[in-house]
């Protein structure tokens, strides 16, 4: 489209020509890529970045250059007092043709930008973009997300939700994050909990609603003991999830039923300590419960008063950094680690409790130690376990990689799970039997208020034939009944969060 020079004016300034080349080629490549992206049916991160982030940059640069070129030309023309070509003459077929071409080009361009804009919006909202563009930083969240019940729910449905205001807020904080990422000024691990997360009620409730009455939910949890024969212990719980609204609300989901409101103050960033809890009933009656650690000063401090919602229990709906104990139990249950290998539970747990600076180091140590224990002298009590030990080694490495991310300073100990009371206090942050109101009322500590134990058994035969009968909890491995004030965490608490920065300094 470059013009011939007339009247001694130099041809279209070079910048304009480059602008045209850039614009036309970017638009052409962009159109092809958008078509490819739409037809191929699956989005690919790298074509996405090129199509929706790089092409628009080239396109805008091209258009800007054309514009600058055009302005330069105008300025030169006016300097030479030759502005005749600026007059549009509709009787001049050359002018009409140019106008037509311009019209067609503008229409094509508008279409392309509309489709491109729409697709870029979706692209920057996609799971691939969230998880992989900042791959280095968010790998642990991305990996754990993919094996969670929400693996098909996109990141933005929980992290942004619907509505323009949160969309804008998220893009602003996204820009800050991209800046921190590019300038390498972010800290590892990514802080948790997210203190400015959109209230869960506005995101989770797009798909779940607490008035849905779930009734009771049955769950059987199987452990393998650290005895030589790795024999199982299983407990069947009938969890009183409940639900409903107002005065009909009951059970565990009562906390989030309409009408009631539970507020609390926690004195640490991870929300592990909760010395103050306020319950407001539908009639406005308030009851305040405080624990022995309560210091009235905290009411006058800057501590946030948080209204309880879904993520105070389901704080790991998607990024589930599973307890290795649980993972090993599951792998034995699924036969991926052969229960017949003597003392395998004990040996594997020992390995997963060690500290390793890198995944590679962990994998090496796992291989070395289990090989030395079982394969150097493959005959153990008259049997060989060569094949199953090799399988176990591969599985233990898998387990390690699914819940330890030493390069990102993240592992299961840095991300507590509050839905229970076995490794972290979770429910027991409030339900430990010490949170008392002035009236003497105590937040319930009765096991049967949350779940019934409808079966328990220890040993291979016994677990296989576990019957239904309501029972009191008895501790496995002949430890008998626990005192009411004993908490599982007194003995089973997760280790202190690994401080990778401190460890690195120490080396
Ligand atoms: C089912 C809802 C849900 C989905 C889907 C989801 N997240 Fe999250 N995410 C959460 C919640 C809830 C938290 C905050 C937990 C807390 O505050 O204790 C969180 C926390 C995070 C954190 C902070 C660190 C941490 O683990 O607490 C990052 C980073 C993150 N999410 C990234 C992502 C990415 C990337 C995706 C998509 C691959 C994603 N999330 C998908 C619910 C979700
Ligand atoms: C876009 C829809 C969507 C959103 C938003 C969503 N979920 Fe879910 N959630 C699902 C689906 C679908 C399932 C069922 C998955 C299955 O059964 O495999 C599910 C399952 C669950 C379960 C049962 C998990 C299990 O172990 O079976 C819990 C608990 C849960 N969601 C909590 C949450 C919380 C908390 C949030 C908000 C942070 C949330 N969900 C946001 C769609 C959603
Ligand atoms: C007081 C703690 C607590 C709160 C608050 C809570 N939940 Fe639950 N929820 C539980 C427990 C415990 C279960 C039982 C299942 C389990 O242990 O994994 C459960 C089960 C569920 C299930 C699976 C039950 C079914 O019907 O299949 C879903 C879905 C769920 N919760 C969503 C939510 C959502 C959404 C919210 C917020 C509106 C919420 N929960 C608030 C503790 C809680
Ligand atoms: C922030 C404090 C807090 C946390 C955390 C908490 N609760 Fe509660 N819960 C309360 C208060 C306050 C009450 C009301 C007083 C009572 O009934 O004892 C209550 C009541 C209950 C009730 C009785 C509801 C009814 O029918 O009246 C159940 C069941 C329950 N909680 C289960 C759980 C479970 C399970 C968890 C953990 C997954 C949990 N709670 C975590 C504060 C909490
Ligand atoms: C405030 C509610 C609440 C109270 C009170 C409570 N539990 Fe639990 N308990 C739970 C929840 C929630 C889980 C987790 C279920 C799951 O894993 O989904 C759980 C899990 C368990 C488990 C299985 C642990 C595992 O992972 O193997 C046992 C055993 C258990 N509770 C025993 C007890 C006993 C004994 C008491 C009374 C001294 C008690 N609980 C009191 C809510 C409660
Ligand atoms: C006074 C300390 C103590 C308390 C309290 C306690 N345990 Fe244990 N528990 C032990 C010891 C010691 C072992 C055996 C050592 C091992 O295998 O790690 C054990 C082993 C177990 C095992 C079998 C093997 C395993 O490692 O998975 C289960 C299951 C178990 N405990 C559940 C519970 C539950 C649930 C509670 C709370 C209701 C609880 N324990 C409270 C000390 C305790």
């Amino acid at each position: 489209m470059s013009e011939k020079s007339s009247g001694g004016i130099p041809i279209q300034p070079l910048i304009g020509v480059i602008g045209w080349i850039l614009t036309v080629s970017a638009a052409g490549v962009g159109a092809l890529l958008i078509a490819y992206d739409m037809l191929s049916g699956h989005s690919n991160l790298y074509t996405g970045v090129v199509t929706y982030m790089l092409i628009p940059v080239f396109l805008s640069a091209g258009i800007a250059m054309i514009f600058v070129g055009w302005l330069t030309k105008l300025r030169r023309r006016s300097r030479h007092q030759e502005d005749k070509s600026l007059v549009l003459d509709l009787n001049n077929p050359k002018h009409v043709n140019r106008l037509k071409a311009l019209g067609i080009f503008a229409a094509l361009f508008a279409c392309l930008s509309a489709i491109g804009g729409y697709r870029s919006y979706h692209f920057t909202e996609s799971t691939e973009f969230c998880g992989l563009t900042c791959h280095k930083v968010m790998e642990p969240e991305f990996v754990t997300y993919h094996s969670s019940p929400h693996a098909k729910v996109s990141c933005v449905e929980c992290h942004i939700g619907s509505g323009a205001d949160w969309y804008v807020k998220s893009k602003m904080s996204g820009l800050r994050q991209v800046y921190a990422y590019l300038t390498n000024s972010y800290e590892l691990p990514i802080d948790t909990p997210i203190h400015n997360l959109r209230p869960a009620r506005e995101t989770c409730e797009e798909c779940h609603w607490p008035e849905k009455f779930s009734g009771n939910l049955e769950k059987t949890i199987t452990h393998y003991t650290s005895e030589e024969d790795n024999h199982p212990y299983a407990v069947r719980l009938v969890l009183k999830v409940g639900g409903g609204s107002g005065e009909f609300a009951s059970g565990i989901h009562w906390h989030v039923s309409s009408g009631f409101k539970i507020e609390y103050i926690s004195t640490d960033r991870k929300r592990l300590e909760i010395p103050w809890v306020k319950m407001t009933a539908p009639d406005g009656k308030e009851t305040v419960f405080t624990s022995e650690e309560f210091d009235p000063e905290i009411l006058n401090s800057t501590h946030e008063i948080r209204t309880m919602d879904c993520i105070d229990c389901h704080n790991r709906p998607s990024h589930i950094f599973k307890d290795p104990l649980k993972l090993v139990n599951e792998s034995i249950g699924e036969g991926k680690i052969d229960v017949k290998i003597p003392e395998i539970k004990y040996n594997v747990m020992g390995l997963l409790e060690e500290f390793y600076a890198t995944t590679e180091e962990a994998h090496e140590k796992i291989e070395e130690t289990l090989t030395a224990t079982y394969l150097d002298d493959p005959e153990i009590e008259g049997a060989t376990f060569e094949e199953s030990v090799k399988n176990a080694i591969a599985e233990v490495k898998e387990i390690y990689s699914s819940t330890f991310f030493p390069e990102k300073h993240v592992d299961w100990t840095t991300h507590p799970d509050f839905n229970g009371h076995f490794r972290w206090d979770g429910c027991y942050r409030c339900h430990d039997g010490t949170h008392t109101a002035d009236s003497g009322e105590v937040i319930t500590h009765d096991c049967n208020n949350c779940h019934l134990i409808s079966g328990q058994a220890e040993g291979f035969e016994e677990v296989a034939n576990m019957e239904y009968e309501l029972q009191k909890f008895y501790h496995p491995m002949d430890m008998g009944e626990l005192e009411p004030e004993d908490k599982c965490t007194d003995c089973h608490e997760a280790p202190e969060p690994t401080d990778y920065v401190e460890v690195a300094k120490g080396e």
Side-chain angles (χ1 to χ4, degrees):
M1 270 246 189
S2 79
E3 277 177 62
K4 264 201 216 103
S5 62
S6 55
I9 297 176
I11 45 168
Q12 171 103 316
L14 192 60
I15 185 162
V17 178
I18 299 177
W20 274 109
I21 295 174
L22 204 58
T23 308
V24 171
S25 36
V29 175
L32 282 177
L33 283 176
I34 291 179
Y36 167 77
D37 191 29
M38 288 170 82
L39 293 177
S40 72
H42 59 86
S43 27
N44 171 309
L45 177 70
Y46 299 100
T47 44
V49 169
V50 174
T51 320
Y52 302 118
M53 309 197 87
L54 284 182
I55 293 280
V57 170
F58 283 117
L59 207 57
S60 324
I63 293 171
M65 283 159 90
I66 294 177
F67 194 66
V68 171
W70 187 60
L71 280 182
T72 325
K73 194 164 149 187
L74 267 190
R75 262 224 323 269
R76 285 195 190 143
R77 276 218 182 130
S78 57
R79 225 183 281 141
H80 293 259
Q81 251 94 66
E82 259 194 61
D83 57 353
K84 61 176 193 289
S85 72
L86 283 178
V87 179
L88 182 66
D89 180 2
L90 286 181
N91 291 324
N92 183 340
K94 231 171 155 187
H95 282 199
V96 174
N97 280 345
R98 253 187 226 169
L99 201 65
K100 273 190 198 154
L102 194 71
I104 292 171
F105 185 76
L108 271 179
F109 186 73
C111 264
L112 206 66
S113 340
I115 301 175
Y118 176 77
R119 302 285 299 181
S120 339
Y121 164 80
H122 276 274
F123 173 66
T124 56
E125 301 280 278
S126 73
T127 303
E128 286 77 19
F129 179 75
C130 298
L132 288 176
T133 313
C134 297
H135 180 248
K136 250 173 67 194
V137 194
M138 290 198 201
E139 187 206 357
E141 277 72 26
F142 194 62
V143 169
T144 48
Y145 157 88
H146 276 293
S147 54
S148 84
H150 290 107
K152 295 276 173 201
V153 174
S154 66
C155 317
V156 292
E157 278 178 281
C158 291
H159 285 282
I160 306 177
S162 52
D165 51 340
W166 278 90
Y167 179 74
V168 172
K169 268 192 218 173
S170 77
K171 292 288 152 192
M172 299 309 286
S173 89
L175 278 180
R176 250 196 335 271
Q177 284 158 17
V178 169
Y179 175 78
Y181 176 67
L182 292 176
T183 54
N184 230 340
S185 57
Y186 57 89
E187 277 186 23
L188 285 176
I190 301 178
D191 201 15
T192 185
I194 306 182
H195 283 258
N196 57 359
L197 190 75
R198 183 167 189 182
R201 311 292 306 252
E202 294 168 22
T203 50
C204 315
E205 287 183 22
E206 297 272 319
C207 301
H208 305 284
W209 65 104
E211 283 76 23
K212 171 176 173 251
F213 190 79
S214 292
N216 294 333
L217 201 80
E218 189 183 287
K219 208 165 178 176
T220 304
I221 303 171
T222 308
H223 291 256
Y224 292 85
T225 57
S226 303
E227 310 273 283
E228 176 157 15
D229 67 350
N230 316 299
H231 70 258
Y233 158 83
V235 55
R236 191 191 293 119
L237 297 176
V238 176
L239 285 152
K240 298 180 171 175
V241 180
S245 56
E247 58 182 306
F248 299 109
S250 69
I252 298 171
H253 278 171
W254 162 88
H255 304 78
V256 284
S257 59
S258 51
F260 286 94
K261 184 159 136 189
I262 311 276
E263 289 160 292
Y264 71 84
I265 296 179
S266 70
T267 46
D268 63 315
R269 275 192 71 75
K270 294 232 188 252
R271 300 186 182 139
L272 290 161
E273 310 290 335
I274 301 185
W276 181 93
V277 182
K278 182 161 93 179
M279 166 174 80
T280 311
D283 60 10
K285 183 170 169 277
E286 292 182 352
T287 315
V288 171
F289 302 91
T290 54
S291 74
E292 284 146 12
E293 280 79 42
F294 173 68
D295 170 0
E297 269 303 299
I298 63 170
L299 289 174
N300 307 321
S301 64
T302 51
H303 290 295
E304 174 199 16
I305 297 185
R306 190 177 146 79
T307 301
M308 198 169 170
D309 67 22
C310 320
I311 66 149
D312 289 299
C313 302
H314 300 289
N315 66 325
R316 300 272 124 218
S318 175
H319 320 295
I320 313 173
F321 297 92
K322 275 198 185 170
D323 174 359
L325 186 74
K326 208 172 190 168
L327 289 167
V328 172
N329 285 333
E330 284 172 6
S331 294
I332 299 181
E334 289 163 13
K336 291 176 181 161
I337 296 178
D338 188 351
V339 72
K340 291 198 212 71
I341 309 172
E343 276 197 326
I344 187 72
K345 172 75 190 292
Y346 177 79
N347 286 326
V348 166
M349 283 318 298
L351 278 167
L352 294 173
E353 278 156 14
E354 290 289 318
F355 171 83
Y356 310 100
T358 63
T359 305
E360 206 188 331
E361 185 194 330
H363 284 193
E364 272 169 21
K365 283 277 163 55
I366 290 167
E367 174 113 34
E368 244 171 51
T369 314
L370 291 179
T371 304
T373 315
Y374 292 106
L375 296 181
D376 285 354
D377 178 14
E379 191 136 322
I380 303 168
E381 291 164 19
T384 53
F385 295 97
E386 201 166 337
E387 198 53 39
S388 48
V389 168
K390 281 188 182 147
N391 292 341
I393 291 174
E395 180 66 9
V396 178
K397 288 183 187 169
E398 275 289 295
I399 291 179
Y400 182 87
S401 306
S402 72
T403 203
F404 291 88
F405 302 85
E407 290 85 359
K408 308 297 174 311
H409 300 186
V410 167
D411 63 41
W412 71 285
T413 63
T414 57
H415 290 63
D417 186 336
F418 293 142
N419 212 14
H421 54 91
F422 184 47
R423 303 288 276 189
W424 288 278
D425 278 335
C427 314
Y428 273 32
R429 290 173 300 159
C430 301
H431 287 276
D432 61 352
T434 73
H435 289 71
T436 315
D438 288 340
S439 63
E441 190 187 343
V442 178
I443 301 182
T444 178
H445 182 51
D446 180 356
C447 319
N448 291 350
N449 228 343
C450 299
H451 50 60
L452 304 174
I453 293 183
S454 67
Q456 251 178 128
E458 187 171 348
F460 290 100
E461 288 282 309
E462 293 79 356
V463 165
N465 302 313
M466 191 162 81
E467 289 186 6
Y468 274 91
E469 56 175 327
L470 289 189
Q471 295 179 339
K472 278 187 85 159
F473 175 75
Y474 64 81
H475 193 279
M477 305 163 98
D478 289 333
M479 281 176 55
E481 244 182 64
L482 296 176
E483 296 297 322
E485 64 275 8
D486 286 339
K487 300 192 287 181
C488 311
T489 52
D490 288 344
C491 306
H492 293 282
E493 191 174 27
E496 285 283 300
T498 321
D499 190 334
Y500 287 91
V501 179
E502 280 303 310
V503 175
K505 266 191 220 148
E507 273 174 2

